[in-house]
Every structure is written in C-alpha cells, then in structure tokens.
Amino acid sequence: MKYQISIITARPLLFRDVTIDWLKHHGVRYNNIAFTENKLQECINSEVSVLIDDAPHYAKEFADRNIPLILFEQPYNTSVNIDMVYRASNWLEVRRRISDLEVSLR
C-alpha cells in the first residue's frame, strides 16, 4: 500500500468482531484499527495526516489542529464550511483529494 490506512471508529468494542468481519468480507485493506470515542486523540497518537469522515462535529476540532478532513457529503453536514475541510461524495473524489493534499503535506 502507498499509504498507511488507519480505521478509527467510535463504534463500541461490542461491535469489533462484526466490524472486522465486514471489512474483511468487503476486501477493505488497512494497517490498523482503533475503537475509541476520542478520534482526535487517536489520530494525534497515530500521526494521522488526513481524516476521512462524515460527522460534521469533527470538522472544527480537526481544522483547529491543522489536520485536514475529507468530509463525505451527507445531508446533515452541508452547513460545514471550514478551512482544512474538503468535501467528497465518493471514494474516487476522496482519492483525488488525497492526491491534492499529498503535495501540500510534504
């Protein structure tokens, strides 16, 4: 893999096995996975360069720490308009955003 992929989810540990089974079933490759309610701290600890999420409440929190966030477009996050937050409506757009950010993160 060209990138280190960390899956950081707020799902309770109760759903760990079903989540890992789902990822495996769908062929999602990743380097590590964390189940936590504090995504920001986990991203800092894991030295995450870019977060991909759909939850609007992470936008300001991550932008304040200069961590870019690619926000999957959803009806509940349309009002988010913050520097360091980039929108994507599909995985192809996510890939393009990451390529664009790769230049600025060097």
Side-chain angles (χ1 to χ4, degrees):
M1 273 190 254
K2 183 176 179 180
Y3 303 102
Q4 291 283 318
I5 298 176
S6 298
I7 297 175
I8 300 171
T9 179
R11 292 177 178 199
L13 268 176
L14 171 70
F15 298 109
R16 183 181 193 285
D17 291 342
V18 71
T19 301
I20 290 172
D21 288 345
W22 186 94
L23 293 166
K24 185 177 181 178
H25 175 78
H26 290 282
V28 177
R29 296 182 305 163
Y30 58 93
N31 299 92
N32 57 56
I33 188 167
F35 292 78
T36 180
E37 290 185 26
N38 190 338
K39 283 189 182 183
L40 176 62
Q41 191 58 55
E42 185 63 35
C43 286
I44 291 168
N45 293 347
S46 300
E47 299 179 354
V48 168
S49 300
V50 178
L51 176 70
I52 303 165
D53 210 298
D54 65 337
H57 61 277
Y58 292 121
K60 182 163 177 24
E61 186 176 14
F62 277 77
D64 286 347
R65 294 294 195 116
N66 289 323
I67 301 172
L69 185 143
I70 299 173
L71 194 64
F72 255 102
E73 292 189 348
Q74 295 294 334
Y76 50 81
N77 67 27
T78 57
S79 65
V80 174
N81 185 15
I82 299 173
D83 287 344
M84 302 288 295
V85 175
Y86 307 91
R87 296 192 165 276
S89 58
N90 57 55
W91 285 105
L92 184 58
E93 288 181 16
V94 167
R95 187 178 198 170
R96 280 191 224 129
R97 291 288 188 189
I98 289 173
S99 293
D100 292 345
L101 285 167
E102 187 174 27
V103 174
S104 65
L105 292 174
R106 289 184 189 182

